[in-house]
Amino acid sequence: MSAILEICVDDPAGIDAAVAGGADRIELCAALELGGLTPSAALVECALAAGCRTHMMIRPRAGGFVLDDGEAALMIGEIRLAIARGVAGVVVGALRPDGRLDREALARFRDAARDATIVLHRAIDLVPDPVSAVREAAELGYDKILSSGGALTAIEGMATLAAMVDAAGDRLSIVAGSGVTPDNVGQLIAGTGVREVHGSASRPGPDPDAGTMRLGFAAGPRRRTDRMIVQRLRAAIADRGST
Protein backbone atom coordinates (compact mmCIF):
# COMPACT_ATOMS: atom_id res chain seq x y z
CA MET A 1 0.00 0.00 0.00
CA SER A 2 1.33 3.47 -0.91
CA ALA A 3 2.24 5.86 1.86
CA ILE A 4 -0.06 8.78 2.63
CA LEU A 5 1.08 12.14 1.27
CA GLU A 6 0.40 15.24 3.37
CA ILE A 7 1.17 18.71 2.01
CA CYS A 8 1.45 21.73 4.30
CA VAL A 9 -0.12 24.90 2.87
CA ASP A 10 -0.84 28.41 4.08
CA ASP A 11 -2.92 30.10 1.38
CA PRO A 12 -5.77 29.38 -1.07
CA ALA A 13 -3.39 28.85 -4.00
CA GLY A 14 -1.51 26.26 -1.95
CA ILE A 15 -4.74 24.44 -1.14
CA ASP A 16 -5.64 24.29 -4.83
CA ALA A 17 -2.15 23.11 -5.84
CA ALA A 18 -2.06 20.39 -3.19
CA VAL A 19 -5.48 19.05 -4.16
CA ALA A 20 -4.78 19.23 -7.91
CA GLY A 21 -1.44 17.46 -7.41
CA GLY A 22 -2.98 14.51 -5.62
CA ALA A 23 -2.31 15.12 -1.92
CA ASP A 24 -4.12 12.73 0.39
CA ARG A 25 -4.30 15.34 3.13
CA ILE A 26 -3.36 18.93 3.80
CA GLU A 27 -1.92 20.44 6.94
CA LEU A 28 -3.41 23.91 7.03
CA CYS A 29 -1.31 26.68 8.58
CA ALA A 30 -0.58 30.36 8.47
CA ALA A 31 2.97 31.66 8.06
CA LEU A 32 4.82 28.52 7.01
CA GLU A 33 8.01 30.59 6.97
CA LEU A 34 7.68 30.62 10.78
CA GLY A 35 7.08 26.89 10.99
CA GLY A 36 3.30 27.22 10.75
CA LEU A 37 0.80 29.11 12.92
CA THR A 38 -2.96 28.83 13.48
CA PRO A 39 -4.76 29.72 10.22
CA SER A 40 -7.67 32.13 9.93
CA ALA A 41 -11.29 30.98 10.01
CA ALA A 42 -11.78 32.03 6.39
CA LEU A 43 -8.79 29.97 5.24
CA VAL A 44 -10.16 26.97 7.14
CA GLU A 45 -13.46 27.35 5.27
CA CYS A 46 -11.54 27.55 2.00
CA ALA A 47 -9.73 24.29 2.78
CA LEU A 48 -12.89 22.48 3.79
CA ALA A 49 -14.62 23.60 0.60
CA ALA A 50 -11.79 22.03 -1.41
CA GLY A 51 -12.85 18.61 -0.16
CA CYS A 52 -9.42 17.34 0.91
CA ARG A 53 -8.96 15.87 4.37
CA THR A 54 -7.64 18.74 6.47
CA HIS A 55 -5.55 18.81 9.64
CA MET A 56 -5.30 22.29 11.18
CA MET A 57 -2.24 23.66 12.93
CA ILE A 58 -2.94 24.97 16.44
CA ARG A 59 0.01 27.20 17.30
CA PRO A 60 -0.75 30.72 18.58
CA ARG A 61 2.68 32.29 18.01
CA ALA A 62 6.13 31.80 16.57
CA GLY A 63 9.05 30.68 18.73
CA GLY A 64 9.50 27.79 21.11
CA PHE A 65 6.93 25.39 22.50
CA VAL A 66 7.05 26.12 26.23
CA LEU A 67 3.63 27.66 26.78
CA ASP A 68 3.14 31.00 28.50
CA ASP A 69 0.25 31.67 30.86
CA GLY A 70 -3.05 31.50 29.03
CA GLU A 71 -1.70 29.87 25.87
CA ALA A 72 -2.92 26.36 26.65
CA ALA A 73 -6.43 27.72 27.21
CA LEU A 74 -6.21 29.68 23.96
CA MET A 75 -5.14 26.55 22.08
CA ILE A 76 -8.00 24.56 23.61
CA GLY A 77 -10.41 27.20 22.38
CA GLU A 78 -8.90 27.01 18.88
CA ILE A 79 -9.15 23.21 18.91
CA ARG A 80 -12.83 23.34 19.81
CA LEU A 81 -13.54 25.91 17.10
CA ALA A 82 -11.61 23.84 14.54
CA ILE A 83 -13.55 20.68 15.35
CA ALA A 84 -16.85 22.60 15.24
CA ARG A 85 -15.96 23.88 11.76
CA GLY A 86 -15.41 20.31 10.57
CA VAL A 87 -11.66 19.78 10.27
CA ALA A 88 -10.61 16.14 10.40
CA GLY A 89 -7.76 16.72 12.84
CA VAL A 90 -5.61 19.19 14.74
CA VAL A 91 -1.84 19.51 15.06
CA VAL A 92 -0.42 20.59 18.43
CA GLY A 93 2.64 20.54 20.63
CA ALA A 94 3.86 21.70 24.04
CA LEU A 95 7.10 21.27 25.99
CA ARG A 96 8.20 21.73 29.56
CA PRO A 97 11.09 24.08 30.38
CA ASP A 98 13.36 21.02 30.82
CA GLY A 99 12.66 19.99 27.21
CA ARG A 100 10.35 17.08 27.92
CA LEU A 101 6.78 16.81 26.62
CA ASP A 102 4.26 18.88 28.56
CA ARG A 103 2.03 15.92 29.32
CA GLU A 104 -0.56 18.01 31.18
CA ALA A 105 -1.15 20.39 28.28
CA LEU A 106 -1.06 17.60 25.71
CA ALA A 107 -3.68 15.63 27.67
CA ARG A 108 -5.94 18.68 27.75
CA PHE A 109 -5.55 19.07 23.99
CA ARG A 110 -6.44 15.41 23.48
CA ASP A 111 -9.62 15.84 25.52
CA ALA A 112 -10.59 18.99 23.62
CA ALA A 113 -10.15 17.25 20.25
CA ARG A 114 -12.72 14.59 21.23
CA ASP A 115 -13.04 12.09 18.38
CA ALA A 116 -10.97 14.06 15.85
CA THR A 117 -7.45 13.01 14.90
CA ILE A 118 -4.77 14.68 16.98
CA VAL A 119 -1.18 15.03 15.83
CA LEU A 120 1.90 15.90 17.90
CA HIS A 121 4.02 18.17 15.73
CA ARG A 122 7.77 18.69 15.49
CA ALA A 123 8.06 19.95 19.04
CA ILE A 124 9.04 16.31 19.56
CA ASP A 125 12.24 16.98 17.60
CA LEU A 126 13.45 19.16 20.49
CA VAL A 127 13.01 16.61 23.30
CA PRO A 128 16.07 14.78 24.67
CA ASP A 129 14.73 11.33 23.69
CA PRO A 130 12.22 11.33 20.81
CA VAL A 131 11.81 7.54 20.95
CA SER A 132 10.66 7.60 24.58
CA ALA A 133 8.44 10.58 23.74
CA VAL A 134 6.66 8.42 21.16
CA ARG A 135 5.61 6.06 23.95
CA GLU A 136 4.41 9.01 26.04
CA ALA A 137 2.33 10.36 23.16
CA ALA A 138 0.79 6.92 22.61
CA GLU A 139 -0.14 6.73 26.29
CA LEU A 140 -1.84 10.12 25.97
CA GLY A 141 -3.96 8.85 23.07
CA TYR A 142 -2.31 10.73 20.21
CA ASP A 143 -2.93 9.40 16.72
CA LYS A 144 0.11 10.68 14.80
CA ILE A 145 3.49 12.32 15.32
CA LEU A 146 5.15 14.57 12.74
CA SER A 147 8.93 14.37 13.05
CA SER A 148 12.27 14.68 11.30
CA GLY A 149 13.84 12.34 13.83
CA GLY A 150 15.31 15.30 15.70
CA ALA A 151 17.46 16.30 12.72
CA LEU A 152 17.36 19.21 10.32
CA THR A 153 15.84 16.95 7.66
CA ALA A 154 14.04 13.63 7.73
CA ILE A 155 16.76 12.02 5.62
CA GLU A 156 19.37 12.99 8.22
CA GLY A 157 17.09 11.68 10.99
CA MET A 158 16.27 8.35 9.33
CA ALA A 159 17.82 6.15 12.04
CA THR A 160 15.83 7.89 14.79
CA LEU A 161 12.67 7.87 12.68
CA ALA A 162 13.03 4.11 12.19
CA ALA A 163 13.36 3.68 15.97
CA MET A 164 10.30 5.89 16.48
CA VAL A 165 8.30 3.74 14.05
CA ASP A 166 9.29 0.65 16.03
CA ALA A 167 8.33 2.32 19.32
CA ALA A 168 4.97 3.40 17.90
CA GLY A 169 3.99 -0.06 16.68
CA ASP A 170 0.29 -0.07 15.83
CA ARG A 171 -0.60 2.51 18.48
CA LEU A 172 0.05 5.60 16.37
CA SER A 173 1.58 6.64 13.04
CA ILE A 174 4.89 8.43 12.55
CA VAL A 175 4.73 11.05 9.77
CA ALA A 176 8.16 11.87 8.34
CA GLY A 177 8.64 15.53 7.48
CA SER A 178 11.28 18.18 6.69
CA GLY A 179 13.19 18.23 3.44
CA VAL A 180 11.01 15.58 1.80
CA THR A 181 11.34 15.70 -2.01
CA PRO A 182 10.39 13.52 -4.97
CA ASP A 183 14.04 12.45 -5.19
CA ASN A 184 14.36 11.20 -1.61
CA VAL A 185 10.88 10.14 -0.54
CA GLY A 186 11.38 6.54 -1.69
CA GLN A 187 14.62 6.24 0.26
CA LEU A 188 12.92 7.77 3.30
CA ILE A 189 10.04 5.30 3.27
CA ALA A 190 12.32 2.32 2.67
CA GLY A 191 14.79 3.34 5.38
CA THR A 192 12.31 4.13 8.13
CA GLY A 193 9.13 2.14 7.56
CA VAL A 194 6.95 5.26 7.81
CA ARG A 195 3.51 5.00 6.28
CA GLU A 196 2.98 8.76 5.96
CA VAL A 197 5.15 11.60 4.66
CA HIS A 198 4.81 15.37 4.89
CA GLY A 199 6.24 18.09 2.68
CA SER A 200 5.72 21.61 1.41
CA ALA A 201 6.21 20.74 -2.29
CA SER A 202 7.10 24.38 -2.81
CA ARG A 203 9.31 26.74 -4.76
CA PRO A 204 10.43 30.28 -3.88
CA GLY A 205 8.13 32.98 -5.20
CA PRO A 206 9.25 36.40 -6.50
CA ASP A 207 11.42 38.68 -4.38
CA PRO A 208 9.46 41.23 -2.32
CA ASP A 209 9.80 44.84 -3.38
CA ALA A 210 12.41 46.98 -1.66
CA GLY A 211 9.90 48.93 0.42
CA THR A 212 8.34 45.78 1.81
CA MET A 213 11.77 44.50 2.78
CA ARG A 214 12.89 47.85 4.21
CA LEU A 215 9.92 48.11 6.55
CA GLY A 216 10.31 44.53 7.74
CA PHE A 217 7.10 43.11 6.29
CA ALA A 218 9.09 40.30 4.63
CA ALA A 219 12.48 38.72 5.13
CA GLY A 220 12.67 37.24 1.65
CA PRO A 221 10.51 35.55 -1.01
CA ARG A 222 7.56 33.46 0.14
CA ARG A 223 7.55 29.85 -0.93
CA ARG A 224 4.61 28.69 -3.05
CA THR A 225 3.13 25.22 -3.26
CA ASP A 226 3.83 23.76 -6.70
CA ARG A 227 1.28 21.37 -8.18
CA MET A 228 3.94 19.64 -10.28
CA ILE A 229 6.10 18.90 -7.23
CA VAL A 230 3.05 17.47 -5.46
CA GLN A 231 2.42 15.27 -8.50
CA ARG A 232 6.04 14.12 -8.56
CA LEU A 233 5.89 13.26 -4.86
CA ARG A 234 2.66 11.35 -5.45
CA ALA A 235 4.24 9.44 -8.36
CA ALA A 236 7.42 8.63 -6.44
CA ILE A 237 5.37 7.26 -3.54
CA ALA A 238 3.25 5.19 -5.91
CA ASP A 239 6.37 3.80 -7.59
CA ARG A 240 7.72 2.82 -4.19
CA GLY A 241 4.42 1.15 -3.28
CA SER A 242 4.38 -0.91 -6.47
CA THR A 243 7.88 -2.38 -5.97
Side-chain angles (χ1 to χ4, degrees), residues 12-69:
I15 294 168
D16 291 344
V19 173
D24 298 300
R25 186 174 67 231
I26 58 175
E27 181 192 79
L28 187 69
C29 307
L32 279 174
E33 67 273 16
L34 300 176
L37 302 178
T38 306
S40 71
L43 188 61
V44 174
E45 294 301 323
C46 183
L48 294 174
C52 187
R53 185 174 180 87
T54 298
H55 288 176
M56 176 176 160
M57 176 65 74
I58 308 292
R59 185 180 173 215
R61 55 159 174 80
F65 303 108
V66 178
L67 301 182
D68 293 331
D69 291 344

Coordinates of all heavy atoms in Angstrom, one line a residue, residues 12-69:
P12 N -4.8 30.1 -0.2 CA -5.8 29.4 -1.1 C -5.1 28.7 -2.3 O -5.5 27.6 -2.7 CB -6.7 30.5 -1.5 CG -6.7 31.5 -0.3 CD -5.2 31.4 0.1
A13 N -4.1 29.4 -2.8 CA -3.4 28.8 -4.0 C -2.7 27.5 -3.6 O -2.7 26.6 -4.4 CB -2.4 29.8 -4.6
G14 N -2.2 27.5 -2.4 CA -1.5 26.3 -1.9 C -2.5 25.1 -1.8 O -2.2 24.0 -2.1
I15 N -3.7 25.5 -1.3 CA -4.7 24.4 -1.1 C -5.1 23.9 -2.5 O -5.1 22.6 -2.7 CB -6.0 25.0 -0.5 CG1 -5.7 25.5 1.0 CG2 -7.2 24.1 -0.6 CD1 -6.8 26.3 1.6
D16 N -5.3 24.7 -3.5 CA -5.6 24.3 -4.8 C -4.5 23.4 -5.4 O -4.8 22.4 -6.1 CB -5.9 25.5 -5.7 CG -7.2 26.2 -5.3 OD1 -8.0 25.7 -4.6 OD2 -7.3 27.4 -5.8
A17 N -3.3 23.9 -5.3 CA -2.2 23.1 -5.8 C -2.0 21.7 -5.2 O -1.7 20.7 -5.9 CB -0.9 23.9 -5.7
A18 N -2.2 21.7 -3.9 CA -2.1 20.4 -3.2 C -3.1 19.4 -3.6 O -2.9 18.2 -3.9 CB -2.1 20.6 -1.7
V19 N -4.4 19.9 -3.7 CA -5.5 19.1 -4.2 C -5.3 18.6 -5.6 O -5.4 17.4 -5.9 CB -6.8 19.8 -4.0 CG1 -8.0 19.0 -4.5 CG2 -7.1 20.1 -2.5
A20 N -5.0 19.6 -6.5 CA -4.8 19.2 -7.9 C -3.6 18.3 -8.1 O -3.7 17.4 -9.0 CB -4.5 20.5 -8.7
G21 N -2.6 18.3 -7.3 CA -1.4 17.5 -7.4 C -1.6 16.1 -6.9 O -0.8 15.2 -7.1
G22 N -2.7 15.9 -6.1 CA -3.0 14.5 -5.6 C -2.6 14.3 -4.2 O -2.5 13.1 -3.8
A23 N -2.6 15.3 -3.3 CA -2.3 15.1 -1.9 C -3.4 14.3 -1.3 O -4.6 14.5 -1.6 CB -2.2 16.5 -1.2
D24 N -3.1 13.5 -0.4 CA -4.1 12.7 0.4 C -4.7 13.6 1.5 O -5.8 13.4 1.9 CB -3.5 11.5 1.0 CG -3.0 10.5 0.0 OD1 -3.8 10.0 -0.8 OD2 -1.8 10.2 0.0
R25 N -3.9 14.5 2.0 CA -4.3 15.3 3.1 C -3.5 16.6 3.1 O -2.4 16.7 2.6 CB -4.0 14.6 4.4 CG -4.5 15.2 5.7 CD -4.2 14.3 6.9 NE -2.8 14.1 7.2 CZ -2.3 12.9 7.4 NH1 -2.9 11.8 7.2 NH2 -1.0 12.8 7.7
I26 N -4.1 17.7 3.6 CA -3.4 18.9 3.8 C -3.2 19.3 5.3 O -4.1 19.0 6.1 CB -4.0 20.1 3.0 CG1 -5.4 20.4 3.5 CG2 -3.9 19.9 1.5 CD1 -6.0 21.6 2.8
E27 N -2.1 19.8 5.6 CA -1.9 20.4 6.9 C -2.1 21.9 6.7 O -1.2 22.5 6.0 CB -0.6 20.1 7.6 CG -0.4 20.7 8.9 CD 1.0 20.7 9.5 OE1 1.8 21.5 9.0 OE2 1.3 19.8 10.3
L28 N -3.1 22.5 7.3 CA -3.4 23.9 7.0 C -2.8 24.8 8.1 O -3.0 24.6 9.3 CB -4.9 24.1 7.0 CG -5.4 25.5 6.6 CD1 -5.1 25.7 5.1 CD2 -6.9 25.6 6.8
C29 N -2.0 25.8 7.7 CA -1.3 26.7 8.6 C -1.4 28.1 8.1 O -1.9 28.4 7.0 CB 0.2 26.3 8.6 SG 0.6 24.6 9.0
A30 N -1.0 29.0 8.9 CA -0.6 30.4 8.5 C 0.9 30.4 8.6 O 1.5 29.7 9.4 CB -1.3 31.4 9.3
A31 N 1.6 31.3 7.9 CA 3.0 31.7 8.1 C 3.9 30.4 8.1 O 4.6 30.2 9.1 CB 3.1 32.5 9.3
L32 N 3.9 29.7 7.0 CA 4.8 28.5 7.0 C 6.3 28.9 7.2 O 7.1 28.1 7.6 CB 4.6 27.7 5.7 CG 3.4 26.8 5.7 CD1 3.3 26.2 4.3 CD2 3.6 25.7 6.7
E33 N 6.6 30.2 6.8 CA 8.0 30.6 7.0 C 8.4 30.7 8.4 O 9.6 30.7 8.8 CB 8.2 31.9 6.3 CG 7.5 33.1 6.9 CD 6.1 33.3 6.4 OE1 5.5 32.4 5.8 OE2 5.5 34.4 6.6
L34 N 7.4 30.6 9.3 CA 7.7 30.6 10.8 C 7.5 29.2 11.4 O 7.4 29.1 12.6 CB 6.8 31.6 11.5 CG 6.9 33.1 11.1 CD1 5.9 34.0 11.8 CD2 8.3 33.6 11.4
G35 N 7.3 28.3 10.5 CA 7.1 26.9 11.0 C 5.6 26.5 11.1 O 5.3 25.4 11.5
G36 N 4.7 27.5 10.7 CA 3.3 27.2 10.7 C 2.6 27.7 12.0 O 3.0 27.4 13.1
L37 N 1.6 28.6 11.8 CA 0.8 29.1 12.9 C -0.7 28.8 12.7 O -1.0 28.3 11.6 CB 1.0 30.6 13.1 CG 2.4 31.1 13.3 CD1 2.4 32.6 13.3 CD2 3.0 30.5 14.5
T38 N -1.5 29.1 13.6 CA -3.0 28.8 13.5 C -3.5 29.6 12.3 O -3.3 30.9 12.3 CB -3.7 29.2 14.8 OG1 -3.1 28.5 15.9 CG2 -5.2 28.9 14.7
P39 N -4.2 29.0 11.4 CA -4.8 29.7 10.2 C -6.1 30.4 10.6 O -6.7 30.2 11.6 CB -5.0 28.6 9.2 CG -5.3 27.4 10.0 CD -4.4 27.5 11.3
S40 N -6.4 31.4 9.7 CA -7.7 32.1 9.9 C -8.9 31.3 9.7 O -8.8 30.2 9.0 CB -7.7 33.3 9.0 OG -7.9 32.9 7.7
A41 N -10.0 31.7 10.2 CA -11.3 31.0 10.0 C -11.7 30.9 8.5 O -12.1 29.9 8.0 CB -12.4 31.6 10.8
A42 N -11.4 32.0 7.8 CA -11.8 32.0 6.4 C -10.9 31.1 5.6 O -11.4 30.4 4.7 CB -11.6 33.4 5.8
L43 N -9.6 30.9 5.9 CA -8.8 30.0 5.2 C -9.2 28.5 5.6 O -9.2 27.7 4.7 CB -7.3 30.2 5.6 CG -6.3 29.4 4.8 CD1 -6.4 29.7 3.3 CD2 -4.9 29.6 5.3
V44 N -9.6 28.3 6.8 CA -10.2 27.0 7.1 C -11.4 26.6 6.3 O -11.5 25.5 5.7 CB -10.5 26.9 8.6 CG1 -11.2 25.6 9.0 CG2 -9.3 27.1 9.5
E45 N -12.3 27.6 6.1 CA -13.5 27.3 5.3 C -13.1 27.1 3.8 O -13.7 26.2 3.2 CB -14.4 28.6 5.3 CG -15.0 28.8 6.7 CD -15.9 27.6 7.2 OE1 -16.5 26.9 6.3 OE2 -15.8 27.3 8.4
C46 N -12.0 27.8 3.4 CA -11.5 27.5 2.0 C -11.0 26.1 1.9 O -11.3 25.4 0.9 CB -10.4 28.6 1.7 SG -9.8 28.5 0.0
A47 N -10.3 25.6 2.8 CA -9.7 24.3 2.8 C -10.8 23.3 2.8 O -10.8 22.3 2.1 CB -8.8 24.1 3.9
L48 N -11.8 23.4 3.7 CA -12.9 22.5 3.8 C -13.7 22.4 2.5 O -14.2 21.3 2.1 CB -13.8 22.8 5.0 CG -13.1 22.7 6.4 CD1 -14.1 23.2 7.4 CD2 -12.7 21.3 6.6
A49 N -13.9 23.6 1.9 CA -14.6 23.6 0.6 C -13.9 22.9 -0.5 O -14.5 22.4 -1.5 CB -14.9 25.1 0.2
A50 N -12.6 22.7 -0.4 CA -11.8 22.0 -1.4 C -12.0 20.5 -1.4 O -11.7 19.8 -2.3 CB -10.3 22.4 -1.3
G51 N -12.5 20.0 -0.2 CA -12.9 18.6 -0.2 C -11.7 17.7 0.2 O -11.9 16.4 0.2
C52 N -10.5 18.2 0.5 CA -9.4 17.3 0.9 C -9.4 17.2 2.4 O -9.6 18.2 3.1 CB -8.1 17.9 0.4 SG -6.7 16.9 0.6
R53 N -9.1 16.0 2.9 CA -9.0 15.9 4.4 C -8.0 16.9 4.9 O -6.9 17.1 4.4 CB -8.5 14.5 4.7 CG -8.5 14.1 6.2 CD -8.1 12.7 6.4 NE -8.1 12.4 7.8 CZ -9.1 12.0 8.6 NH1 -10.3 11.9 8.0 NH2 -9.0 11.7 9.9
T54 N -8.4 17.6 6.0 CA -7.6 18.7 6.5 C -7.3 18.6 7.9 O -8.2 18.4 8.8 CB -8.4 20.1 6.3 OG1 -8.7 20.3 4.9 CG2 -7.7 21.2 6.9
H55 N -6.0 18.7 8.3 CA -5.6 18.8 9.6 C -5.1 20.3 9.8 O -4.4 20.8 9.0 CB -4.4 17.9 9.9 CG -4.8 16.4 10.0 ND1 -3.9 15.4 10.2 CD2 -6.0 15.8 10.0 CE1 -4.5 14.2 10.2 NE2 -5.8 14.5 10.1
M56 N -5.5 20.9 10.9 CA -5.3 22.3 11.2 C -4.2 22.5 12.3 O -4.3 21.9 13.3 CB -6.6 22.9 11.6 CG -6.5 24.4 12.0 SD -8.2 25.1 12.4 CE -7.7 26.5 13.4
M57 N -3.3 23.3 12.0 CA -2.2 23.7 12.9 C -2.9 24.5 14.0 O -3.6 25.5 13.8 CB -1.1 24.4 12.3 CG 0.0 24.9 13.2 SD 0.9 23.6 14.0 CE 1.9 23.0 12.7
I58 N -2.5 24.2 15.3 CA -2.9 25.0 16.4 C -1.7 25.4 17.1 O -1.0 24.7 17.9 CB -3.8 24.2 17.4 CG1 -5.0 23.5 16.7 CG2 -4.3 25.0 18.6 CD1 -6.0 24.4 16.2
R59 N -1.2 26.6 16.8 CA 0.0 27.2 17.3 C -0.2 28.7 17.3 O -0.2 29.4 16.3 CB 1.2 26.8 16.4 CG 2.6 27.3 17.0 CD 3.7 26.8 16.1 NE 5.0 27.4 16.5 CZ 5.9 27.7 15.7 NH1 5.8 27.6 14.4 NH2 7.1 28.2 16.1
P60 N -0.3 29.3 18.5 CA -0.7 30.7 18.6 C 0.3 31.7 18.2 O 0.0 32.9 18.0 CB -1.2 30.9 20.0 CG -0.4 29.8 20.8 CD -0.3 28.7 19.8
R61 N 1.6 31.3 18.2 CA 2.7 32.3 18.0 C 3.9 31.6 17.5 O 4.0 30.4 17.6 CB 3.0 33.0 19.3 CG 3.4 32.1 20.4 CD 4.2 32.7 21.5 NE 4.4 31.8 22.7 CZ 5.3 30.8 22.7 NH1 6.1 30.6 21.7 NH2 5.4 30.0 23.8
A62 N 4.8 32.4 17.0 CA 6.1 31.8 16.6 C 7.0 31.6 17.8 O 6.7 32.0 18.9 CB 6.8 32.8 15.6
G63 N 8.1 30.9 17.6 CA 9.0 30.7 18.7 C 9.0 29.3 19.3 O 8.5 28.4 18.6
G64 N 9.4 29.1 20.5 CA 9.5 27.8 21.1 C 8.1 27.3 21.5 O 7.1 27.9 21.4
F65 N 8.2 26.1 22.2 CA 6.9 25.4 22.5 C 6.6 25.3 24.0 O 5.7 24.5 24.4 CB 7.0 24.0 21.8 CG 7.2 24.1 20.4 CD1 8.4 23.7 19.8 CD2 6.2 24.5 19.5 CE1 8.6 23.8 18.4 CE2 6.4 24.7 18.2 CZ 7.6 24.3 17.6
V66 N 7.4 26.0 24.8 CA 7.1 26.1 26.2 C 6.0 27.2 26.3 O 6.2 28.3 26.0 CB 8.3 26.5 27.1 CG1 7.9 26.7 28.5 CG2 9.4 25.5 26.9
L67 N 4.8 26.8 26.8 CA 3.6 27.7 26.8 C 3.7 28.7 27.9 O 4.0 28.4 29.0 CB 2.4 26.8 26.9 CG 2.2 25.8 25.8 CD1 0.8 25.0 26.0 CD2 2.2 26.4 24.4
D68 N 3.3 29.9 27.5 CA 3.1 31.0 28.5 C 1.7 30.9 29.1 O 0.9 30.2 28.6 CB 3.3 32.4 27.8 CG 4.7 32.6 27.3 OD1 5.6 32.1 27.9 OD2 4.9 33.4 26.3
D69 N 1.5 31.7 30.2 CA 0.2 31.7 30.9 C -0.9 32.0 29.9 O -0.7 33.0 29.1 CB 0.2 32.7 32.0 CG 1.1 32.3 33.2 OD1 1.5 31.1 33.2 OD2 1.4 33.1 34.0

